[in-house]
Amino acid sequence: EMLILLREELQASGIDLYFARVTDPVRDLFLRSEFVSQENEHLFRGVHSAVNAFLAIQKPQVKRHSA
């Protein structure tokens, strides 16, 4: 329940919560507790895959040059 409250609080602030290096027992616990609705929702087995997923959804920021 605490993680659900944390996720909701972060989402209200526009922040997504990602988990890296999630083991199968933890993934199963998250699914059973309905903390996540889908198996692949922000749960990643490795740091590299979590970072890649995060970067893939980020919009490129436009750099502004001063005149």
Side-chain angles (χ1 to χ4, degrees):
E1 188 174 315
M2 293 290 290
L3 282 175
I4 293 171
L5 294 174
L6 173 64
R7 182 186 60 203
E8 289 171 355
E9 193 172 311
L10 291 172
Q11 284 176 340
S13 298
I15 300 170
D16 290 327
L17 185 60
Y18 284 73
F19 289 90
R21 298 190 62 166
V22 178
T23 61
D24 287 336
V26 173
R27 181 182 303 272
D28 293 343
L29 176 65
F30 282 172
L31 289 168
R32 280 195 318 270
S33 68
E34 297 180 2
F35 176 66
V36 293
S37 58
Q38 300 173 9
E39 186 173 340
N40 295 326
E41 182 182 331
H42 296 143
L43 300 178
F44 301 92
R45 294 191 187 280
V47 173
H48 187 75
S49 58
V51 171
N52 283 340
F54 174 78
L55 292 175
I57 66 166
Q58 297 305 302
K59 295 180 182 177
Q61 296 183 8
V62 176
K63 294 183 180 180
R64 297 180 188 190
H65 299 282
S66 57

